[in-house]
Amino acid sequence: MAKSFDIAVLGGGPGGYVAAIRAAQLGYKTAVIDKDNLGGICLNWGCIPTKSLLKNAELYDSIKNHGEEFGIKVEGLSYDFSKIIQRSRDVSDKVTKGVEFLMKKNKIERFRGYGKLKSKNEIQILDENDNEIELVKADKIIIATGARPKQVPAIPVDYKNIITSKEAMSLDKMPDELIVIGAGAIGVEFAYFYSVLGAKVTIIEMLDRVVPVEDKEVSDTLARSFKKRGIKIYTNTKVEKAVVKGKSVLVTIEKNGKKEELKAGKVLNAIGVTGNVEGFGLEELRVELFKNHIKVDKATYRTNIENIYAIGDVIGPPWLAHVASAEGVQCIEKIHGMHIPDIDYNSIPGCTYCQPQVASIGLSEEKAKADGYEIKIGKFPFSASGKSAAIGEREGFVKLIFNAKYGELLGAHIIGAEATELIAELGIAKSHEATYESIIQTVHAHPTLSESIMEAAANAYGEAINI
Amino acid sequence: MKVDVVMPKMGESVNEGTIIKWHKKKGDKVEKDEIIFEISTDKVDTEIPSPEDGVLIDIKAYEQETVDVGTVVAVIQTSGGTDDSQEETEEQTEEKIEEEPASTTQVGGELVDIIMPKMGESVMEGTIIKWHKKVGDKIEKDEIIFEISTDKVDTEVPSPEAGILAEINVAENETVEVDTVVARLSTSGGIVKEKKSEPKKEQLAESKTEIKKEEPKEIKQQPGKDLSVGKSDRFYSPVVVNIARSENISFDELESLDGSGADGRVTKKDVMDYLETRKGGGAAQPSQSKPKVQQTAAEKSEDAKFSAGEGIELIPMDNIRKRIMYHMVNSRDTSVHVTAVLEADVSKIHTFIQENRERFLQNTGVKLTYMPFIAYACIKALQKYPYVNASIDENNIVLKKFINLGIAVAVEPNGLIVPNIKKADEKSILGLTKAILELSNKSRGKGLTPDDIMDGTFTITNYGVFGSLFGTPIINQPEVGILGIGAVQKKPVVVEVDGTDSIAIKSMMYLSLSHDHRLVDGMLGGKFLIEIKDALENFDTNLV
C-alpha cells in the first residue's frame, strides 16, 4: 500500500529535516525517511554530543590548570568519565527528540526504516531484513543521506581499538594513550578533549600543518598551544599501517622517508568523510556521481534526474551541518519557484571547538594571494584586549583580510576564546559585502572580545587604537 | 630686511601643522605680536603672532595646508635690522596659547574656486575627462587646467587666475553638476605640497571649514562624496559602492543594473559582471538619463551581441561617438528627410581662386577655398527663403531673423562637430573665410565654447573634401535643412554660346540639399538649391 507525497526526503539530518520542515511550511505534503533518530550525525554522533564533551573538558581544564590564577582552590579534583559520556548522550537524546517533535508540529510524515529508491518517484521503506514495510511515492525526492568517516586499507577500523568519531564519543573507559590520525576539525577536537582529561595524545597529519584548511598563522598558533599542552604533533607524516596487537595498536608512520612506530591503546581515524551513496538504489537510477558524492547543480540542487535532488554532505564538501541546512532550504525554495540568491560558498563559516577555538570565513591569506588579490591584512591579538585579560583568555588573535582595491572583506580568521561565536559578525559582514569601513564604523560594545574585530579592521589601515 | 615666518614646533612629537586661517593677507601691515595666522597640530590649535613689525610680503601656504615644522609659511619685510624670527616665534607662540583670537575679517592665502562651467543652456552637468594639472602645479592665468566633456561639446577649461592648484575634488571621468567646485587654486603663491596625510578629524570639526582632499583617490574613500546613494530606495552594499567609485561607475549606471541578490539587490558579482561587459563591449552601457532615442540606438547595438575574441575587437565608444550616434538617430527619427541634388558650374569661382590664392593669402593671411563662396551663396538663399532657415516647434513654425550658419567639421580620429558662424549674414567673403577657419581650428583643438555650437539655423557639410560626389546628409536638429557639397571635378558639359550648343570643360560640383519634408517641400527645396546654384555660377568677384 503506497502513500503519496509531494516531497519525500531521504535522510533526517540537519539537511533533510530542515528541508522537510521548509517544504511543509510552504504547503507541500512531505515525508521524511530515516532508519535512525532524526538529526543525523550532527545531533546524534557529531556536532552536538562532541560540544557537550568539549564543555566538560573546558570546565575541567579551567579549574585544573587555571583555578590557581583565579584564586580557586580545589583539592582532589577528579572526574567521572562515564558520567561525561552519559551527559553527552543525554544532550544528544534531548535535541533529537526535539526534532521528532518538529516533524509532528509541521505534519511531516516520519518513516523509520531503511529507504531505498525503487524508481525516480518511489522509495521503499525496508526493515532490517530488507523486507518492504511501506512504499512512499513522491513527485520530488530529496536525497540527504549524509556522509560517514572515510576509511582506507592502511587503517583498518575495528571499532574497538581503531575507532571512528562515533566510538570516540562513547568509549566506556578513558584511554591512556590516543593516536589521532588527521588534524582536521574532528581530529583536533578529540585530541584536545582526551589530552585535557589526561591521555597522552599524538596527532598525525599528512599535510604540513594542523587544521590545514585554515589560515597558516592560525594553524601555527594552534600547534603551539597543543604542544604546550603536551600533545605530540607529526605533520607531513603518512600512516603506513595500523595493526592491532593485543590491547594496543601499532601505527607505522613515515616522515621524510624515515619510518617510526608508535603505539597506543586507541587510534582514532579522523582522516575525513565520504558520501553515503551506496546501497539505496542510486546506481540503478543512474544518478550521476563524482568522487563518491552525488553530482548536483549547486543552484537548484537537482541531480541529472529531473525530480531527484540532493543536499548536504552527500553532495560533497564542505561537509558542514549549517551548509546542509542552508542547502535544504534553498532546494525547497527553488522548487517552490522563489527567486532567491544562490548560496555563496565563499561565505561559509567554519568552526573548530577545541581550545583555543578556531573559526574562519572566506579566504585565507595564502588563498587570497593565490587568487591574485592585492590584500591588506589587519590583525589584533587578544593579548591586547581588555576583556581577554579580564577573563584570562589571552591566547590567539583576529586576522582580517581585505581586498586592497575595494576594501572588501575577503576572509576572517579567529583563534582564541569564543572564536566560534565571534565569527558570526563577520558572516553578516561578508554576506552584506561589508568593507573595512563598515566594520570600523560599527560601534562595538566594550569590553567585549568582539571589539578585537573592529580593531583588526582598523589595524589593516593603520588606524587601530588599542595596539 | 626680510624675516621668514615658519611653522613653529608645537610639541615634542609634533612634526607638522595645518594652517587653518590667515588673519592677514599679502601686503598687510603687521605689528610685532599681532596674530597673523592660526594653526592646528596634533596637540593644540594656536595663533601665531608676527615676530616683527613690517609688511607681510609673501604667503607661502594656503589655508588648510599641512606643512612640516620649520617650513617658511610667510615672509615679512621689516624696516629695521633685527634678525631673529624663528626662536622668538616659538617662544611667543607658546606664551600665547591661551589668548583669545584677535578678531579680524581679513583673510590671506586666498583660495579661488574653480567650478564646472555651464556649457550651454540645457547642459546641467559635465564630465572631467582629463586633468592637465595636478595638485601643487603652478598655473598661469588662462593655462588649461582640465578638459571636460558635456552633452554638447568637449572643451578645455583655462585657469581664471595665476596660482597653485591646491585641490582637485573631482576625479577624471567623474560627472558633476554645473557649478560644482572641481578644484581650488591658491593665489597666495608659495609652496603647495601634496599633503601626506589627511587633516585630523578634530580640525575638521573645529575649523568648520570644508576640508577637501586633493587626490581624487582619497575622495573615493569619503563615503557619499561622489556617489550619492541617498537618491535611491535601493540598498547598495559597501563593497558595491566602493567598486562603483573605483571603477567610475556612475550612480545612474548602478541604478540601471539588474540585481541578482535578495530583493533584486545589486551584488558585488553583478557589478563585477557589469564591469566585464563594459570593458568588453561598451554597447551595453546604460545611458545617463538621455532621451529615449539614444536608448534605442544603444539597444540596437546591444542586439549585435558581439563578444571580443578571434577576429573581433570591441572598443568602447567615447563620449563624442556616443553623442554623434544619439544625434543622428534622433534626427532621423525626428525629421522627414528628403534630398534634392543639382549640379553647379563653379568654374568662375575656381578660376578666381586659382588666380587670387597667393594674393589673398598675402593680404589676409588666410587661404581662399570654395567654402566661403558656397556659404555666401547659401546665406543669400536663406535670406530669400526663410522657411529653410527655420525650425519646427510642436505645431509652430519658428522663423529666425538671423542666420547662424553651421559648418560640419570632421575631428580626427573619429568625430564630427557642427559649430556655427554667428550672424553669418553680416559677414563678407573674407569674414566668412576667417570664421570658418577659426571654427575648424577650435573644433580640432577642443577649443569650442558652448556658444559656438548652439543656436545654429542651417548647416553646410562638405564631404567633397573627401572625394565624394554627392551625398544625402542628415539634418542637424532642430534645423530643417542641410546643404551637402560634393567634390569639384572637371567635366565636359554642354554649354550654349550664342544659340549654339558646344562642349566645354567646366569645374562642376554637386550640391545636395536634405530638407525636412514636414516644413520644406520639393518646390521650396528646389528653389533654394537653384538660388545657390545661380549665385555660385554668377558670382560677383568684386565682392571679395
Side-chain angles (χ1 to χ4, degrees):
Chain A
M1 159 75 207
K3 284 190 176 175
S4 290
F5 294 91
D6 297 326
I7 294 175
V9 183
L10 187 55
Y17 89 75
V18 168
I21 293 175
R22 189 70 189 114
Q25 283 175 343
L26 291 172
Y28 294 101
K29 193 180 175 206
T30 309
V32 64
I33 301 146
D34 200 307
K35 66 184 187 325
D36 291 319
N37 289 337
L38 293 180
I41 295 291
C42 169
L43 270 58
N44 291 285
W45 299 105
C47 321
I48 300 300
T50 54
K51 261 74 272 172
S52 161
L53 295 178
L54 287 162
K55 180 66 191 177
N56 284 72
E58 280 167 37
L59 204 55
Y60 185 68
D61 189 18
S62 290
I63 298 168
K64 186 170 171 239
N65 298 319
H66 304 284
E68 287 281 292
E69 182 189 329
F70 286 91
I72 293 170
K73 282 189 177 173
V74 180
E75 274 162 34
L77 180 68
S78 67
Y79 60 82
D80 177 347
F81 186 71
S82 61
K83 194 105 186 260
I84 291 174
I85 297 295
Q86 192 51 51
R87 178 176 175 275
S88 162
R89 298 318 311 154
D90 291 348
V91 167
S92 170
D93 279 353
K94 195 169 171 195
V95 292
T96 55
K97 282 199 182 101
V99 177
E100 299 280 355
F101 162 76
L102 287 174
M103 296 300 109
K104 276 188 208 129
K105 179 189 158 194
N106 288 288
K107 303 195 170 54
I108 296 162
E109 191 151 346
R110 160 43 160 150
F111 293 89
R112 193 181 267 271
Y114 197 89
K116 190 174 178 196
L117 294 167
K118 191 178 171 189
S119 74
K120 67 187 187 66
N121 289 105
E122 292 170 304
I123 302 173
Q124 290 177 297
I125 313 294
L126 308 174
D127 65 13
E128 298 92 63
N129 305 317
D130 279 359
N131 297 318
E132 182 177 307
I133 316 167
E134 213 147 4
L135 186 67
V136 171
K137 285 190 172 180
D139 286 348
K140 292 188 163 50
I141 291 173
I142 294 166
I143 300 170
T145 49
R148 62 177 186 277
K150 190 158 86 184
Q151 298 200 18
V152 291
I155 311 161
V157 172
D158 64 0
Y159 304 103
K160 276 163 72 185
N161 298 88
I162 304 179
I163 59 176
T164 69
S165 52
K166 183 174 175 179
E167 293 75 51
M169 70 186 79
S170 53
L171 290 178
D172 45 16
K173 224 180 107 225
M174 172 70 194
D176 297 330
E177 291 168 329
L178 175 70
I179 292 173
V180 176
I181 305 175
I186 296 173
V188 297
E189 284 182 12
F190 280 110
Y192 166 78
F193 174 73
Y194 282 110
S195 161
V196 166
L197 295 188
K200 187 176 161 246
V201 176
T202 305
I203 297 177
I204 301 163
E205 169 58 48
M206 203 165 71
L207 297 174
D208 63 344
R209 53 202 167 91
V210 297
V211 286
V213 298
E214 302 293 345
D215 192 271
K216 188 172 182 305
E217 273 187 89
V218 168
S219 297
D220 294 348
T221 305
L222 184 65
R224 268 199 301 279
S225 176
F226 270 21
K227 283 174 189 163
K228 234 162 49 186
R229 279 187 191 287
I231 297 172
K232 192 143 179 33
I233 299 173
Y234 290 88
T235 52
N236 288 316
T237 304
K238 257 178 79 176
V239 173
E240 288 242 303
K241 60 180 180 197
V243 181
V244 181
K245 241 192 186 153
K247 286 199 165 182
S248 51
V249 188
L250 295 178
V251 178
T252 312
I253 56 169
E254 189 221 295
K255 182 175 183 163
N256 302 330
K258 274 202 271 179
K259 287 185 187 177
E260 197 177 329
E261 194 164 83
L262 307 175
K263 197 176 121 184
K266 299 281 181 203
V267 169
L268 170 61
N269 169 26
I271 59 171
V273 298
T274 184
N276 289 324
V277 292
E278 309 90 348
F280 61 95
L282 276 186
E283 306 87 338
E284 289 91 327
L285 287 178
R286 294 203 195 163
V287 172
E288 231 180 291
L289 305 181
F290 81 98
K291 289 186 188 166
N292 296 323
H293 295 91
I294 297 176
K295 193 173 166 187
V296 295
D297 161 34
K298 277 204 167 183
T300 59
Y301 302 95
R302 236 167 66 179
T303 65
N304 59 318
I305 306 226
E306 199 191 352
N307 66 315
I308 298 183
Y309 298 76
I311 56 165
D313 286 358
V314 76
I315 64 168
W319 302 296
L320 294 167
H322 41 284
V323 172
S325 299
E327 288 170 347
V329 171
Q330 276 270 327
C331 175
I332 297 296
E333 293 187 347
K334 295 244 169 93
I335 286 174
H336 193 60
M338 290 166 73
H339 290 286
I340 46 165
D342 298 344
I343 291 175
D344 177 7
Y345 284 90
N346 291 318
S347 293
I348 306 287
C351 294
T352 305
Y353 298 79
C354 56
Q355 291 296 340
Q357 292 186 354
V358 173
S360 66
I361 188 165
L363 302 179
S364 65
E365 181 183 343
E366 304 83 59
K367 183 77 170 63
K369 281 179 179 161
D371 284 359
Y373 284 106
E374 200 186 308
I375 55 172
K376 268 192 193 294
I377 293 173
K379 253 183 87 174
F380 189 80
F382 286 119
S383 59
S385 153
K387 179 67 182 290
S388 298
I391 64 172
E393 301 277 6
R394 304 173 64 110
E395 199 171 16
F397 56 82
V398 175
K399 176 176 177 178
L400 303 181
I401 293 158
F402 297 99
N403 177 350
K405 197 169 174 196
Y406 302 127
E408 173 198 11
L409 178 67
L410 293 175
H413 306 274
I414 307 177
I415 178 165
E418 308 302 342
T420 56
E421 300 294 337
L422 292 172
I423 201 71
E425 166 180 351
L426 296 155
I428 293 278
K430 216 163 171 296
S431 66
H432 284 66
E433 302 185 336
T435 58
Y436 79 99
E437 295 112 321
S438 333
I439 298 173
I440 299 171
Q441 286 159 9
T442 301
V443 177
H444 287 63
H446 177 75
T448 58
L449 296 175
S450 66
E451 285 174 291
S452 305
I453 292 169
M454 178 177 70
E455 293 280 4
N459 172 256
Y461 290 81
E463 297 168 16
I465 304 297
N466 287 302
I467 189 160
Chain B
M1 68 167 298
K2 285 177 184 167
V3 177
D4 287 344
V5 182
V6 299
M7 175 61 68
K9 193 166 174 72
M10 299 307 297
E12 216 18 64
S13 58
V14 179
N15 295 315
E16 56 178 30
T18 304
I19 294 183
I20 49 178
K21 188 174 167 65
W22 282 100
H23 287 273
K24 296 286 170 186
K25 60 177 192 290
K26 213 164 140 180
D28 279 359
K29 258 184 124 166
V30 291
E31 284 174 23
K32 190 174 174 182
D33 291 342
E34 197 183 355
I35 305 301
I36 42 178
F37 59 102
E38 280 177 50
I39 62 164
S40 172
T41 69
D42 287 352
K43 302 256 160 123
V44 287
D45 288 4
T46 188
E47 292 159 342
I48 307 299
S50 174
E52 289 295 336
D53 287 349
V55 176
L56 193 60
I57 56 163
D58 200 359
I59 288 178
K60 291 173 180 287
Y62 64 91
E63 288 185 355
Q64 306 313 336
E65 188 186 357
T66 302
V67 298
D68 288 343
V69 164
T71 306
V72 175
V73 295
V75 180
I76 291 168
Q77 175 81 56
T78 63
S79 43
T82 26
D83 134 66
D84 38 9
S85 80
Q86 196 163 336
E87 280 141 30
E88 209 174 327
T89 312
E90 260 185 62
E91 270 176 44
Q92 286 162 357
T93 304
E94 274 156 25
E95 286 162 20
K96 291 209 167 258
I97 285 171
E98 302 299 321
E99 276 188 25
E100 287 294 306
S103 86
T104 167
T105 50
Q106 289 184 324
V107 176
E110 282 170 76
L111 284 180
V112 175
D113 289 346
I114 297 169
I115 58 164
M116 173 61 69
K118 192 165 172 71
M119 299 307 290
E121 253 327 293
S122 58
V123 180
M124 301 317 294
E125 56 177 30
T127 306
I128 298 216
I129 49 180
K130 187 176 167 65
W131 282 101
H132 286 273
K133 297 287 171 185
K134 58 181 191 299
V135 169
D137 281 358
K138 225 175 169 171
I139 298 171
E140 299 296 322
K141 190 178 174 192
D142 290 334
E143 203 180 346
I144 304 302
I145 316 181
F146 58 97
E147 265 176 58
I148 61 167
S149 173
T150 68
D151 286 346
K152 305 258 174 175
V153 285
D154 285 358
T155 191
E156 290 166 334
V157 179
S159 177
E161 306 254 0
I164 282 159
L165 194 58
E167 297 173 11
I168 288 179
N169 299 331
V170 176
E172 283 182 6
N173 291 321
E174 202 178 317
T175 302
V176 295
E177 280 177 21
V178 163
D179 289 341
T180 305
V181 176
V182 297
R184 294 174 104 187
L185 192 68
S186 167
T187 56
S188 61
I191 332 138
V192 177
K193 308 172 305 164
E194 291 201 31
K195 272 184 245 175
K196 275 170 284 182
S197 59
E198 57 183 68
K200 300 287 171 296
K201 280 174 189 146
E202 308 91 81
Q203 291 170 11
L204 266 172
E206 274 174 37
S207 64
K208 291 210 175 80
T209 310
E210 208 187 344
I211 296 183
K212 301 228 170 115
K213 294 165 189 171
E214 311 135 321
E215 293 289 335
K217 195 177 89 227
E218 283 184 274
I219 289 166
K220 284 174 195 149
Q221 292 180 358
Q222 216 170 32
K225 169 88 187 181
D226 54 348
L227 190 89
S228 160
V229 174
K231 288 188 278 181
S232 171
D233 290 340
R234 240 171 154 181
F235 171 83
Y236 294 104
S237 77
V239 167
V240 167
V241 172
N242 274 6
I243 294 172
R245 286 197 184 114
S246 307
E247 305 295 344
N248 288 311
I249 298 173
S250 73
F251 184 71
D252 288 337
E253 284 174 272
L254 267 191
E255 285 278 280
S256 72
L257 295 184
D258 287 330
S260 68
D263 298 328
R265 189 175 287 177
V266 172
T267 64
K268 173 194 161 199
K269 187 174 174 297
D270 297 333
V271 182
M272 295 312 280
D273 288 350
Y274 171 68
L275 266 181
E276 277 304 302
T277 334
R278 195 171 72 163
K279 264 180 215 151
Q285 188 167 1
S287 57
Q288 299 183 8
S289 62
K290 294 271 164 56
K292 207 175 131 210
V293 194
Q294 192 196 17
Q295 277 161 13
T296 325
E299 276 159 26
K300 283 202 165 71
S301 36
E302 219 174 345
D303 287 343
K305 294 246 163 42
F306 284 111
S307 51
E310 206 172 321
I312 292 181
E313 185 192 355
L314 295 179
I315 300 160
M317 279 194 186
D318 59 18
N319 251 349
I320 292 183
R321 194 69 247 160
K322 277 189 260 178
R323 281 202 312 267
I324 294 171
M325 173 170 78
Y326 161 65
H327 284 305
M328 291 305 159
V329 175
N330 180 46
S331 180
R332 185 206 58 192
D333 290 353
T334 304
S335 294
V336 180
H337 283 76
V338 286
T339 306
V341 182
L342 56 63
E343 207 174 7
D345 173 3
V346 291
S347 304
K348 195 174 174 188
I349 295 168
H350 178 77
T351 312
F352 181 82
I353 290 174
Q354 293 300 327
E355 287 170 356
N356 295 284
R357 186 171 272 158
E358 287 302 312
R359 183 180 60 88
F360 198 79
L361 187 62
Q362 264 174 11
N363 290 353
T364 65
V366 288
K367 223 171 97 184
L368 200 53
T369 65
Y370 283 98
M371 271 303 276
F373 294 94
I374 297 159
Y376 196 86
C378 186
I379 291 159
K380 272 186 75 182
L382 288 168
Q383 282 170 326
K384 191 163 181 186
Y385 301 106
Y387 272 39
V388 186
N389 191 54
S391 286
I392 296 171
D393 184 16
E394 302 270 324
N395 290 325
N396 291 324
I397 296 165
V398 184
L399 283 186
K400 295 161 188 166
K401 308 283 182 193
F402 52 90
I403 295 172
N404 292 339
L405 188 65
I407 306 290
V409 181
V411 181
E412 290 291 329
N414 187 24
L416 170 70
I417 196 154
V418 187
N420 58 70
I421 304 166
K422 292 282 174 317
K423 295 191 176 156
D425 46 337
E426 294 172 8
K427 290 199 182 336
S428 65
I429 289 286
L430 176 60
L432 289 170
T433 308
K434 287 188 166 168
I436 292 168
L437 184 71
E438 187 195 336
L439 287 181
S440 44
N441 286 343
K442 276 163 94 176
S443 302
R444 288 168 187 139
K446 292 190 175 172
L448 288 176
T449 65
D451 281 351
D452 289 330
I453 56 155
M454 286 174 65
D455 301 326
T457 59
F458 185 85
T459 298
I460 299 179
T461 176
N462 182 2
Y463 38 72
V465 295
F466 309 114
S468 301
L469 286 181
F470 58 85
T472 58
I474 299 288
I475 294 166
N476 187 28
Q477 295 296 327
E479 300 162 15
V480 293
I482 182 167
L483 181 70
I485 298 166
V488 176
Q489 52 173 190
K490 286 190 173 165
K491 278 186 180 176
V493 288
V494 177
V495 292
E496 194 186 317
V497 185
D498 303 332
T500 318
D501 283 348
S502 61
I503 291 176
I505 296 170
K506 295 278 190 183
S507 291
M508 302 302 288
M509 169 196 273
Y510 286 106
L511 295 173
S512 52
L513 174 74
S514 286
H515 51 91
D516 188 342
H517 214 320
R518 292 179 303 165
L519 180 59
V520 181
D521 301 329
M523 182 180 74
L524 178 56
K527 283 182 174 173
F528 180 80
L529 269 178
I530 290 286
E531 183 70 25
I532 296 173
K533 175 184 156 86
D534 287 349
L536 288 173
E537 291 182 347
N538 305 304
F539 203 85
D540 180 0
T541 46
N542 295 325
L543 287 171
V544 186

